[in-house]
Amino acid sequence: MNQKILVTQSSMPHFDEYIEEIKDIWDSQWLTNMGTKHNELEKQLCTYLQVPFVSLFSNGHLALEVALEALELEGEVITTPFTFASTTHAIVRKGLTPIFCDVNPTDYTMDVSLIESLITEKTCAIVPVHVYGHICNVEEIERLAKKYDLKVIYDAAHAFGMKLNGKGSGDFGDVSMFSFHATKVFNTIEGGALTFNDEQYVKLFQTFKNFGLTGPDEISYVAGNAKMNEFQAAMGLCNLRHVDEEIAKRKLVAERYKEQLSGIAGIQIPSRQEGVQSNYAYFPVVFDGYKYTRDEVLERLKEHAIFARKYFYPLTNEFTCYEGKFDLGNTPVAAHIANCVLTLPLYANLSLEDVDRICRVIKS
Ligand SMILES: *Cc1c(COP(=O)(O)O)cnc(C)c1O
């Protein structure tokens, strides 16, 4: 029996490197609440992501909730159902109404030609997702946001370290959310961040992730707790030293997949986006008119101890918890992709031999 291949494997620094990094924490005995490691990671991420401001969080989901809450949004939010549960849940949990926009069939990001028809008097914001690290049509989204005075909050959980025409992926819209979950390209075990241009948000987000405290004796907002601790930040400082190397290795894997799977009828693989420097976070394959269905391919891979993932399936507007709430007829392209897509195993240490093995199973 061949060794199991899981869909992902977390990046970790060398054990000794992490131990060295956390030694200071024993000296300072400062475990959380904007400690030295936390502040150092914020600083380094500003440079790495090429953004003016970074605010760290305990995870990406709470970062997104804080962004929606702190910007005092109310009413309807135009978003995509082709995403992880987090995006839609954050909108709903903050008392907002998601209005689902379909995706385009080429890169599965929001179909910007449909956004305008979904805008009403109640629309307050657009929450697009750079899904699989495919960068949304940021120019058109910005144009619409300006025209209708809407806020734009990107779910950039998949877009760490990416660039569009030399500009950092977190430098678009009002705010971008990154996830540093263990399964992402860059991780702090659990963790996340908001990136933004407006200096006013520095204090605001700090307050909202810390119970609404604005001073030692002043609590100005009803807010929760979403602070990143020093051990998470230390993991981040270590992983950030190696992330370029990790991305380079992921690139080799992704290129091998491309080589092996391109030009096969009924198999759609991601095409390069013009001007985009990728992070090779995922390798989605759409089985559309292939001789086997997505589910058949998934099962066959499983028989060979290879674990791909139906990511994303189901669409968020089809979740059991939202049954009867949304009109599913509005997002047919997203529904089709969700029924046909698999993300293949992809991580820095996946060997090219294993990639070949995976492709052999798919092709046979
Ligand atoms: C991972 C992810 C999130 C949530 O991030 P966490 O850090 O796990 O809370 C949100 N949106 C998308 C698209 C994601 O992939």
Side-chain angles (χ1 to χ4, degrees):
M1 186 72 185
N2 280 315
Q3 239 199 321
K4 253 192 206 173
I5 304 176
L6 301 181
V7 70
T8 189
Q9 190 182 82
S10 297
S11 299
M12 290 174 84
H14 198 279
F15 178 70
D16 296 333
E17 186 180 349
Y18 187 63
I19 295 304
E20 191 57 40
E21 190 65 53
I22 62 174
K23 271 191 181 140
D24 307 336
I25 303 175
W26 264 261
D27 296 334
S28 68
Q29 303 217 339
W30 185 291
L31 303 184
T32 184
N33 285 57
M34 305 17 131
T36 316
K37 302 285 171 196
H38 169 282
N39 295 344
E40 179 60 26
L41 184 61
E42 270 188 359
K43 204 175 95 197
Q44 291 190 18
L45 283 173
C46 278
T47 308
Y48 188 83
L49 296 172
Q50 298 185 331
V51 291
F53 301 106
V54 170
S55 185
L56 293 173
F57 285 83
S58 52
N59 61 60
H61 178 80
L62 285 175
L64 186 56
E65 284 202 7
V66 163
L68 297 168
E69 195 174 348
L71 267 57
E72 297 180 11
L73 300 176
E74 265 175 59
E76 297 177 352
V77 172
I78 298 173
T79 188
T80 166
F82 191 66
T83 181
F84 186 54
S86 172
T87 323
T88 304
H89 282 354
I91 293 167
V92 174
R93 283 168 56 83
K94 289 296 120 189
L96 297 154
T97 306
I99 302 295
F100 292 103
C101 178
D102 207 357
V103 301
N104 70 61
T106 45
D107 64 18
Y108 327 128
T109 63
M110 243 187 216
D111 183 342
V112 291
S113 71
L114 301 172
I115 294 176
E116 202 153 20
S117 66
L118 299 172
I119 294 174
T120 71
E121 275 173 6
K122 293 188 200 144
T123 310
C124 60
I126 308 176
V127 176
V129 180
H130 299 306
V131 66
Y132 305 131
H134 298 165
I135 301 293
C136 299
N137 186 337
V138 290
E139 273 169 37
E140 181 60 11
I141 290 169
E142 188 179 334
R143 189 186 72 79
L144 291 168
K146 276 215 175 103
K147 183 170 169 191
Y148 294 96
D149 191 26
L150 306 173
K151 295 276 190 245
V152 180
I153 299 168
Y154 281 104
D155 180 333
H158 293 181
F160 184 85
M162 295 185 57
K163 290 189 187 75
L164 173 64
N165 299 322
K167 208 171 145 168
S169 59
D171 205 12
F172 299 102
D174 294 277
V175 182
S176 294
M177 176 278 281
F178 288 92
S179 164
F180 306 150
H181 182 256
T183 54
K184 305 297 206 270
V185 167
F186 167 75
N187 84 77
T188 59
I189 310 170
E190 292 263 8
L194 296 176
T195 61
F196 47 94
N197 271 291
D198 189 338
E199 194 167 0
Q200 289 180 57
Y201 293 160
V202 175
K203 262 254 150 70
L204 192 66
F205 293 153
Q206 183 136 325
T207 302
F208 267 88
K209 68 180 153 191
N210 194 24
F211 305 106
L213 269 67
T214 38
D217 301 321
E218 187 168 68
I219 291 93
S220 309
Y221 301 96
V222 185
N225 175 13
K227 301 185 298 291
M228 177 180 282
N229 69 51
E230 290 292 272
F231 289 84
Q232 290 173 287
M235 188 63 137
L237 288 169
C238 294
N239 279 334
L240 195 57
R241 288 181 201 124
H242 307 289
V243 73
D244 283 337
E245 198 185 317
E246 295 276 306
I247 291 172
K249 287 196 203 159
R250 283 173 171 275
K251 181 176 182 196
L252 295 177
V253 173
E255 280 174 351
R256 187 71 152 228
Y257 271 131
K258 240 176 212 180
E259 222 175 87
Q260 299 264 3
L261 296 176
S262 51
I264 300 174
I267 294 189
Q268 190 181 319
I269 59 171
S271 55
R272 229 183 71 80
Q273 284 186 299
E274 200 60 46
V276 170
Q277 184 188 316
S278 181
N279 63 6
Y280 308 94
Y282 301 94
F283 199 86
V285 178
V286 172
F287 296 92
D288 187 3
Y290 191 51
K291 53 189 164 182
Y292 300 101
T293 65
R294 182 267 310 272
D295 290 357
E296 286 167 341
V297 177
L298 181 71
E299 278 313 307
R300 196 61 60 85
L301 287 167
K302 219 183 266 177
E303 284 164 20
H304 287 81
I306 297 161
F307 298 87
R309 187 175 173 201
K310 291 196 251 180
Y311 191 69
F312 298 98
Y313 175 87
L315 296 180
T316 64
N317 56 3
E318 292 175 343
F319 287 178
T320 311
C321 57
Y322 297 130
E323 209 174 309
K325 291 231 167 76
F326 305 119
D327 183 353
L328 302 179
N330 290 339
T331 52
V333 178
H336 178 68
I337 302 300
N339 283 326
C340 301
V341 74
L342 273 188
T343 52
L344 299 181
L346 174 51
Y347 45 88
N349 289 330
L350 183 65
S351 73
L352 298 182
E353 291 73 40
D354 280 340
V355 175
D356 292 346
R357 199 180 118 205
I358 294 164
C359 294
R360 268 201 307 277
V361 175
I362 294 172
K363 289 195 277 194
S364 68

